[in-house]
């Protein structure tokens, strides 16, 4: 067997393993121009082109994480509708994940390592939230709200939608001036400050992230709300 034929058989085997690991979705996987695998009973929604064996091997080890990383760095090309392909891949991989013993084992190990005990919760929070706040401002906007926004109209901006969400929450809990509110896990203080400023309540906010508490206190001082938000 020539070296080229042996290499081609390896490529075919790797593609097949990746395709099965992804749950055999309705997409065509293609490695360079030498190997491909596609669904048997339906037309593929998209073609996913993998240019090198390094990416191929990484996809085999962790298809879910590597696909997004490789696509964002241009190491994978997708021909066709991206949204439809992602929906199909997500559904297909989700169905397969439940049946893999090693996925369950890794999941259990990660649950143990990252368990939310008193000490573990503080460690997890520090790793995730105690980063430079400027990083979060790049994609969360000036309100620094981590949860989903509420768009009252199609033309609303993200900033307007975040304020609308804060106001929606306040109306839902029927706040009245003079009431006292506890905000557990207050983040950077957006909701606490909104409640105090617009609904006349006093808020006691809690958080175990040092960075977020410092930012929240600074924002309260800037807005003249330090006496209403603790």
């Amino acid at each position: 067997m020539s070296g080229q034929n042996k290499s081609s058989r390896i490529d075919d085997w790797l593609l097949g393993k990746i395709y099965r690991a992804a749950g055999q979705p309705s997409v065509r996987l293609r490695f360079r121009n030498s190997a491909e695998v596609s669904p048997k009973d339906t037309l593929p929604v998209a073609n996913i082109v993998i240019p090198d064996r390094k990416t191929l091997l990484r996809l085999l080890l962790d298809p879910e994480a590597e696909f997004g990383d490789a696509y964002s760095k241009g190491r994978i090309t997708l021909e066709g509708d991206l949204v439809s392909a992602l929906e199909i891949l997500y559904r297909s991989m989700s169905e397969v994940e439940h049946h893999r013993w090693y996925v369950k084992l890794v999941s259990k190990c990660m649950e143990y390592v990252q368990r939310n005990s008193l000490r573990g919760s503080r460690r997890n929070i520090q790793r995730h939230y105690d980063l430079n706040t400027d990083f979060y401002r790049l994609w969360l906007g000036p309100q620094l709200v981590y949860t989903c926004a509420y768009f009252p109209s199609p033309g609303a901006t993200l900033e307007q939608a975040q304020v609308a969400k804060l106001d929606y929450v306040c109306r839902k809990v029927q706040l009245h001036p003079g009431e006292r509110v506890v905000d557990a896990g207050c983040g950077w203080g957006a909701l606490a400050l909104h409640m105090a400023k617009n609904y006349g309540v006093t808020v006691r906010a809690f958080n175990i992230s040092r960075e977020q508490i410092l930012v929240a206190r600074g924002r309260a001082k800037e807005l003249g709300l330090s006496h209403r938000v603790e």
Side-chain angles (χ1 to χ4, degrees):
M1 181 185 296
S2 68
Q4 185 175 359
N5 289 337
K6 184 177 181 180
S7 178
S8 179
R9 289 187 63 182
I10 292 173
D11 297 338
D12 288 338
W13 182 82
L14 288 172
L15 271 182
K17 291 287 287 184
I18 293 170
Y19 191 66
R20 288 189 292 274
Q24 303 184 46
S26 299
V27 298
R28 178 184 290 114
L29 295 183
R30 182 183 301 149
F31 178 63
R32 297 174 182 162
N33 291 318
S34 61
E36 70 173 46
V37 61
S38 59
K40 296 180 180 179
D41 303 323
T42 184
L43 292 174
V45 172
N47 298 326
I48 298 174
V49 183
I50 305 164
D52 58 81
R53 190 169 288 166
K54 184 177 181 180
T55 302
L56 202 63
L57 291 170
R58 286 182 172 179
L59 281 168
L60 180 61
L61 293 174
D62 192 349
E64 187 172 357
E66 177 59 22
F67 179 83
D69 190 48
Y71 180 80
S72 64
K73 293 180 179 178
R75 290 189 283 109
I76 281 180
T77 303
L78 191 143
E79 302 168 350
D81 185 75
L82 175 61
V83 175
S84 297
L86 290 177
E87 288 176 347
I88 288 172
L89 284 168
Y90 179 78
R91 286 198 300 268
S92 179
M93 293 175 70
S94 296
E95 292 172 0
V96 174
E97 291 292 328
H98 296 300
H99 303 290
R100 295 188 196 160
W101 66 268
Y102 58 88
V103 170
K104 294 179 181 178
L105 178 61
V106 171
S107 178
K108 287 294 183 183
C109 291
M110 292 303 294
E111 286 178 10
Y112 177 77
V113 172
Q114 298 180 348
R115 63 192 182 281
N116 281 315
S117 60
L118 290 176
R119 180 181 295 180
S121 294
R122 187 175 295 278
R123 181 182 63 247
N124 293 337
I125 288 293
Q126 288 173 350
R127 287 178 177 175
H128 189 82
Y129 292 110
D130 282 355
L131 305 175
N132 191 310
T133 306
D134 289 338
F135 165 71
Y136 288 100
R137 284 196 177 97
L138 291 173
W139 48 284
L140 292 181
Q143 292 293 330
L144 288 170
V145 182
Y146 215 129
T147 51
C148 297
Y150 172 68
F151 286 81
S153 66
T157 65
L158 176 60
E159 183 178 354
Q160 291 169 337
Q162 289 291 15
V163 173
K165 186 267 301 293
L166 297 176
D167 205 52
Y168 182 76
V169 172
C170 293
R171 296 198 310 272
K172 274 288 189 180
V173 297
Q174 300 180 12
L175 293 178
H176 295 94
E179 291 183 330
R180 295 178 61 84
V181 179
V182 172
D183 185 0
C186 65
W188 292 276
L191 180 58
L193 296 171
H194 186 84
M195 289 189 290
K197 180 181 178 181
N198 298 286
Y199 287 83
V201 299
T202 300
V203 185
R204 191 169 190 184
F206 294 87
N207 199 335
I208 59 176
S209 167
R210 297 188 185 95
E211 179 70 19
Q212 288 186 328
I213 284 292
L214 288 174
V215 171
R217 287 173 177 167
R219 295 172 73 186
K221 186 176 181 179
E222 289 175 6
L223 294 170
L225 294 171
S226 297
H227 63 296
R228 301 262 292 279
V229 180
E230 179 184 353

